[in-house]
Amino acid sequence: RKEVEQDPGPFNVPEGATVAFNCTYSNSASQSFFWYRQDCRKEPKLLMSVYSSGNEDGRFTAQLNRASQYISLLIRDSKLSDSATYLCVVNLGAGKSTFGDGTTLTVKP
Amino acid sequence: NAGVMQNPRHLVRRRGQEARLRCSPMKGHSHVYWYRQLPEEGLKFMVYLQKENIIDESGMPKERFSAEFPKEGPSILRIQQVVRGDSAAYFCASSRQGIDTQYFGPGTRLTVL
């Protein structure tokens, strides 16, 4: 079993749609959690950190469920510019971060 | 406030040559990480370093690969006797502390002919 597993995708959605990505992790000692996006195999860029209380940044909402070892990302009102690969990242502390393989999103007009 | 810098951005080597990839972390960051992304695959952790110390090299291939982060200067990822399978994008990231957000450089695309 992989340490971090994501929905394989790809997700193809029309503009304006709401889309949700899921991610599960296996190590209960994981300490911090992030979503990154990666465009066309350029460098990953931080989208948002994920907290147990949930956090929102504009059209993006991230949620963490420690009991179920589950992280989610919700994108509302999808834009063409949201097309990218979304990476779930779990940090064990001591510098050890594990990246999921990513979920590809394509938003179509 | 410059971000993470990597050079070269593109590197072409013939089989058997050496490749040296350099990474300068963001100002104020003393933790450096190297990742490899093979074509059509996800990011894979290679090594985590602090100044003059390798903290975690569990993702490094056992042979031909080495990394350092000297007291002065950039971090270096060195690949000796490259093979075609080493062709990949190599990303460096840095953070202020080991648990903090990692910020990525633009990567070095290595092509082995």
Side-chain angles (χ1 to χ4, degrees):
Chain A
R1 184 186 172 190
K2 290 184 178 180
E3 292 182 49
V4 177
E5 294 202 64
Q6 293 188 238
D7 283 351
F11 286 70
N12 298 302
V13 303
E15 272 187 292
T18 295
V19 61
F21 303 141
N22 303 317
C23 172
T24 57
Y25 60 95
S26 60
N27 193 325
S28 59
S30 299
Q31 298 189 30
S32 55
F33 309 87
F34 307 90
W35 283 101
Y36 282 73
R37 68 174 279 168
Q38 187 176 27
D39 295 84
C40 299
R41 301 184 71 78
K42 295 182 179 178
E43 74 270 29
K45 293 187 177 178
L46 177 69
L47 183 64
M48 57 200 307
S49 302
V50 189
Y51 306 112
S52 295
S53 54
N55 49 306
E56 187 173 313
D57 182 2
R59 298 180 293 107
F60 298 83
T61 301
Q63 199 78 38
L64 165 64
N65 184 320
R66 283 191 182 271
S68 301
Q69 295 182 198
Y70 172 97
I71 304 160
S72 65
L73 177 68
L74 183 76
I75 306 175
R76 290 181 298 276
D77 189 22
S78 301
K79 310 291 184 192
L80 295 176
S81 58
D82 293 335
S83 298
T85 297
Y86 290 83
L87 307 174
C88 170
V89 183
V90 174
N91 187 309
L92 278 173
K96 186 63 183 290
S97 285
T98 302
F99 283 70
D101 287 340
T103 301
T104 300
L105 171 67
T106 301
V107 181
K108 299 187 174 181
Chain B
N1 184 15
V4 179
M5 299 175 69
Q6 289 187 250
N7 65 81
R9 295 289 300 276
H10 299 274
L11 182 62
V12 179
R13 286 286 178 266
R14 296 190 180 279
R15 280 179 295 171
Q17 292 184 319
E18 178 180 284
R20 281 189 169 230
L21 288 62
R22 287 175 290 279
C23 170
S24 297
M26 283 178 71
K27 187 176 179 181
H29 287 191
S30 59
H31 299 245
V32 166
Y33 315 81
W34 286 93
Y35 295 86
R36 177 166 68 174
Q37 189 168 34
L38 295 168
E40 308 306 320
E41 294 191 14
L43 275 168
K44 301 302 178 192
F45 168 80
M46 299 181 75
V47 62
Y48 162 41
L49 311 103
Q50 294 181 39
K51 285 283 187 182
E52 300 184 280
N53 284 305
I54 297 174
I55 307 302
D56 181 350
E57 56 181 346
S58 58
M60 287 279 269
K62 293 288 184 281
E63 297 177 347
R64 303 187 297 108
F65 285 72
S66 62
E68 62 176 4
F69 189 15
K71 187 176 180 181
E72 300 291 337
S75 175
I76 307 286
L77 178 68
R78 183 181 176 203
I79 311 172
Q80 294 178 292
Q81 299 175 332
V82 297
V83 301
R84 289 222 173 107
D86 296 333
S87 295
Y90 292 83
F91 290 101
C92 167
S94 72
S95 68
R96 196 175 297 275
Q97 299 290 339
I99 197 171
D100 289 345
T101 304
Q102 296 180 19
Y103 294 90
F104 282 80
T108 295
R109 270 94 181 144
L110 172 65
T111 301
V112 179
L113 301 177

